[in-house]
Every structure is written in structure tokens, then in C-alpha cells.
Amino acid sequence: MNRNILRRFGQILVSLVIQWLCIFVSAGTIEWQWPWILLALSILILIINGFLLPPELIEERGKKKEDAKKWDKVLTKIGIIPMLGVSVISGLDYRFAWSGQLHVSIYIAGLILYFASSIFVTWSMVSNKFFSTMVRIQMDRDHQVASRGPYRFIRHPGYLGFILMMTAMPLALGSLYALTMSALSAILFVVRTAMEDATLSTELQGYSEYAKSVRYRLVPYIW
């Protein structure tokens, strides 16, 4: 196992630890069942990904990317704010009962949506061996247009999956207030989608032709 794959595993582990520390510290307790259920679900998804994702894709996602677009580096850093914001606000919401006691069906619906949208992201990654963490033209990997799987229907299915995941997480934790962070994350993904799409159209051979056959960037029949 090379160091880029190990680095990716380390990145994921650190991200999970920070995210759930934010939840439990802001909640002021670890005796809260829904974050533990959500964490177990997240670990299950990671195990599934470990079996399904090809090593070269995991390596790409773990390597340092000096040639990544500068604007994407900025957007990625800003994107940390809503990601952690969901955790912190959800925890505070639980501590101070801002949203009150929601019906259990909302929690369950959130968990189902979280799992389904995560699997949709996994499908996107399996269908696109160039699914990187940063926007870059991967000339070192003979970058080609992805057109299989969900890419037959929309041009950026992974981003749609991430938006749905960020929407599902507050529901699974019972926080209506944390949905504000989900909305901010969705806006950032829309901006990133537009800028990445423009980059691929001008810099990746064959993408303009692909965009003519697959009309929608993010949401079918809308955009």
C-alpha cells in the first residue's frame, strides 16, 4: 500500500474524528444516540468504498495536488466551514433544544437519505476513475471524459450526492437550524460545479461534445 493511499485513509480518519468531536463537544455529552448511529453508518459506507473503489482512485484522492486550480483550493477551504458548522450547530441544537423534539421519522428519513446519497457518490466514483478531491486536469493519468453510470444523466453526479448528504446530516441529528449550513454548502457546490464545468469545457478534450449530449450539470431538467 503506497503512501498516497495511506494518506487518504489518514485524511478520512482525521475528518471523522474532528467532525464527531465537534458534535459531542458542542452537545456537551456523548449520551446521544443519533450521532452514534450516524457514525456507524459512515463507517459502513467507508468499508463499502474500501471494497469498491479502485486503488488508483484512492491514490489520486490522497496525493498532494500542486496543479489544482487556485479557485478550487479557495472553495475547498471555505467548504470546511459549513461541514463543521453542521456538526457544531447540531450539537448546540441538541444541548439547548432549539428545534425541539422532532418526530422519529425525520431522524430515520435523514439516515436513509444519508446512506442513499453516499452510495450515489460511491457510484459516481466507481464510474469515474478521475474523481479527484480537487479540480485539476490529470495529464499524468491520461485524463478522459467520464460518461458511464450516473454521468449518463448529469455531468456532476458526485456533487449532487454531496449536497444531499449535507442535507441529510442535520435531519439525522434532528437539527433544523443546521440546515442553514447545508444551504451554504449547497451554494458552494453550485459555484464549484459551474467553475469546474467551464474548466473542463475549455481544457479537457471531448468534454464539450459530452456536454452537448448530457445537457444538465447538477439537477436533471433544471440545470
Side-chain angles (χ1 to χ4, degrees):
M1 187 177 297
N2 66 42
R3 63 180 182 179
N4 289 325
I5 293 179
L6 290 174
R7 182 185 290 118
R8 184 57 186 164
F9 287 155
Q11 291 170 348
I12 293 172
L13 178 60
V14 169
S15 177
L16 277 178
V17 169
I18 292 175
Q19 200 167 8
W20 261 261
L21 272 177
C22 287
I23 291 175
F24 289 121
V25 170
S26 58
T29 181
I30 61 172
E31 296 180 359
W32 179 20
Q33 63 177 342
W34 295 109
W36 289 112
I37 296 173
L38 187 60
L39 177 59
L41 196 59
S42 298
I43 293 174
L44 173 61
I45 293 164
L46 291 177
I47 293 173
I48 292 172
N49 286 351
F51 281 105
L52 294 182
L53 299 184
E56 60 268 26
L57 176 59
I58 300 175
E59 180 182 0
E60 163 61 28
R61 294 180 66 78
K63 70 170 57 173
K64 295 181 179 179
K65 303 169 183 65
E66 303 297 337
D67 58 343
K69 300 300 179 182
K70 292 182 179 179
W71 55 263
D72 193 45
K73 292 180 180 180
V74 173
L75 286 177
T76 300
K77 290 177 180 177
I78 296 175
I80 296 174
I81 296 173
M83 182 185 72
L84 296 182
V86 166
S87 298
V88 172
I89 293 177
S90 294
L92 291 173
D93 195 341
Y94 176 79
R95 177 184 288 195
F96 299 110
W98 293 338
S99 296
Q101 184 62 41
L102 303 181
H103 194 275
V104 67
S105 61
I106 294 178
Y107 295 87
I108 294 174
L111 291 171
I112 293 173
L113 178 59
Y114 185 83
F115 182 77
S117 54
S118 298
I119 293 301
F120 186 70
V121 173
T122 299
W123 185 26
S124 302
M125 289 192 287
V126 170
S127 302
N128 179 10
K129 65 179 182 179
F130 304 103
F131 196 113
S132 184
T133 55
M134 302 288 290
V135 176
R136 73 184 190 96
I137 304 301
Q138 301 169 42
M139 303 303 296
D140 54 317
R141 301 182 63 223
D142 190 26
H143 198 164
Q144 299 176 16
V145 176
S147 57
R148 300 183 299 110
Y151 291 89
R152 293 174 296 169
F153 311 109
I154 54 175
R155 306 204 292 263
H156 301 272
Y159 290 164
L160 175 59
F162 284 129
I163 290 172
L164 294 175
M165 285 176 64
M166 288 294 291
T167 303
M169 191 171 176
L171 299 178
L173 296 173
S175 176
L176 300 180
Y177 286 85
L179 287 171
T180 57
M181 291 293 100
S182 302
L184 175 58
S185 179
I187 292 171
L188 290 173
F189 272 116
V190 168
V191 172
R192 191 182 192 193
T193 297
M195 298 185 73
E196 179 175 346
D197 202 70
T199 298
L200 295 175
S201 294
T202 56
E203 299 184 28
L204 182 61
Q205 184 177 3
Y207 191 83
S208 295
E209 290 74 17
Y210 163 71
K212 292 177 182 177
S213 60
V214 179
R215 296 175 53 193
Y216 301 102
R217 299 175 181 88
L218 203 60
V219 182
Y221 305 107
I222 297 178
W223 184 67

